[in-house]
């Protein structure tokens, strides 16, 4: 999207980290690779320590899938490539001269107990606040698409509606919503009014407002 902005209309980024590994992270990865198997190393990246200790059923299922269904040579190559990635060269508009960032509506998703939370917060700081929704999934770790699929699907519907799609789709209320749930976006040509769908509690009904001009952090 940074290179061909006209080819992408919107993005949902799950556990995104815009920064490459530092020397300390690189050394820690090397050490863990000497003492842990590749599936366990990947699991420690996907899941929080709390999940690894307490959600044994999920962790065991993921370990079996990674070990049995994934080509280990290809996984090792992918893991090496991921660890050698460079920083995404983007900055929030106005922070530096000639700043480049994602120009389409973006929804950032992370669990409130995810090891990727710091990276997602950093990514949020590099995006245009008028185009960005930051969704933090409550009671979720590194895999909100697995532990909270219903809430994530609902948030995705709101995101698409904010972009002008699925206008007639029926919406259910986000259960156990802790704070205002907001979804905002703009049109392909950049002129569609921003739309916000708000859910204040599990008993409230979504209401539509317009012209929200700041980054929105959501917990649900």
């Amino acid at each position: 999207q940074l290179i061909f902005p006209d080819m992408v209309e919107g993005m949902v980024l799950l556990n995104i980290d815009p920064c490459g590994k530092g020397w300390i992270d690189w050394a820690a990865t090397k050490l863990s690779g000497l003492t842990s198997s590749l599936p366990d190393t990947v699991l420690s990246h996907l899941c929080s320590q709390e999940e690894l200790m307490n959600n044994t059923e999920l962790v065991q299922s993921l370990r079996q899938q990674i070990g049995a269904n994934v080509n280990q040579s290809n996984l090792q190559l992918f893991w090496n490539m991921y660890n050698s990635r460079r920083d995404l060269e983007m900055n929030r508009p106005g922070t530096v001269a000639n700043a480049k960032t994602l120009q389409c509506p973006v929804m950032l998703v992370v669990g409130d107990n995810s090891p990727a939370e710091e990276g997602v917060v950093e990514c949020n700081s590099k995006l245009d606040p008028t185009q960005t929704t930051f969704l933090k999934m409550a009671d979720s770790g590194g895999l909100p698409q697995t532990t909270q699929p219903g809430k994530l699907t609902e948030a995705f519907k709101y995101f698409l509606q904010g972009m002008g799609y699925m206008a007639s789709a029926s919406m259910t209320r986000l259960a156990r919503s802790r704070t205002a749930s907001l979804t905002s976006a703009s049109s392909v040509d950049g002129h569609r009014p921003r739309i916000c769908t708000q859910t204040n509690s599990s008993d409230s009904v979504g209401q539509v407002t317009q012209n929200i001009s700041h980054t929105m952090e959501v917990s649900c």
Side-chain angles (χ1 to χ4, degrees):
Q1 212 278 331
L2 290 170
I3 301 175
F4 302 106
D6 295 336
M7 298 183 68
V8 181
E9 188 170 350
M11 302 179 73
V12 176
L13 302 176
L14 181 66
N15 294 335
I16 180 69
D17 188 348
C19 303
K21 280 187 174 294
W23 285 106
I24 295 178
D25 294 327
W26 181 84
T29 299
K30 286 295 183 181
L31 290 174
S32 65
L34 296 175
T35 58
S36 304
S37 65
L38 181 59
D40 286 332
T41 302
V42 174
L43 279 173
S44 66
H45 170 76
L46 294 176
C47 303
S48 65
Q49 287 300 315
E50 181 179 343
E51 286 180 299
L52 292 175
M53 294 177 61
N54 300 328
N55 200 343
T56 55
E57 184 177 349
L58 172 63
V59 172
Q60 185 61 25
S61 175
L62 289 172
R63 182 181 286 111
Q64 291 178 350
Q65 292 180 35
I66 295 172
N69 300 333
V70 179
N71 183 295
Q72 298 300 293
S73 297
N74 290 343
L75 179 60
Q76 183 67 65
L77 291 173
F78 178 80
W79 184 247
N80 293 341
M81 182 181 66
Y82 176 79
N83 287 326
S84 62
R85 71 193 187 281
R86 297 179 298 175
D87 292 352
L88 290 177
E89 297 179 356
M90 62 182 187
N91 292 280
R92 178 167 289 186
T95 57
V96 298
N98 301 318
K100 293 176 58 180
T101 192
L102 301 178
Q103 299 179 30
C104 64
V106 178
M107 183 170 73
L108 301 176
V109 181
V110 68
D112 64 351
N113 191 32
S114 171
E117 182 179 1
E118 183 177 344
V120 177
V121 171
E122 176 68 18
C123 184
N124 183 57
S125 71
K126 295 177 178 291
L127 299 180
D128 185 346
T130 66
Q131 296 275 65
T132 306
T133 298
F134 181 22
L135 178 64
K136 184 184 292 185
M137 305 293 293
D139 303 319
S140 181
L143 299 169
Q145 72 274 27
T146 300
T147 57
Q148 299 284 358
K151 291 182 180 179
L152 184 57
T153 300
E154 194 75 359
F156 184 59
K157 288 181 181 178
Y158 281 117
F159 180 68
L160 289 178
Q161 284 195 332
M163 295 176 62
Y165 297 103
M166 300 178 64
S168 61
S170 60
M171 308 299 291
T172 58
R173 287 170 290 186
L174 285 173
R176 299 172 61 190
S177 179
R178 293 182 175 179
T179 61
S181 177
L182 306 171
T183 302
S184 64
S186 67
S187 64
V188 181
D189 58 9
H191 298 294
R192 185 185 300 133
R194 292 174 50 74
I195 298 176
C196 152
T197 305
Q198 179 174 354
T199 305
N200 290 319
S201 71
S202 59
D203 297 324
S204 63
V205 179
Q207 297 178 343
V208 176
T209 60
Q210 293 184 343
N211 299 322
I212 306 299
S213 60
H214 57 278
T215 299
M216 288 172 259
E217 181 174 345
V218 181
S219 294
C220 63

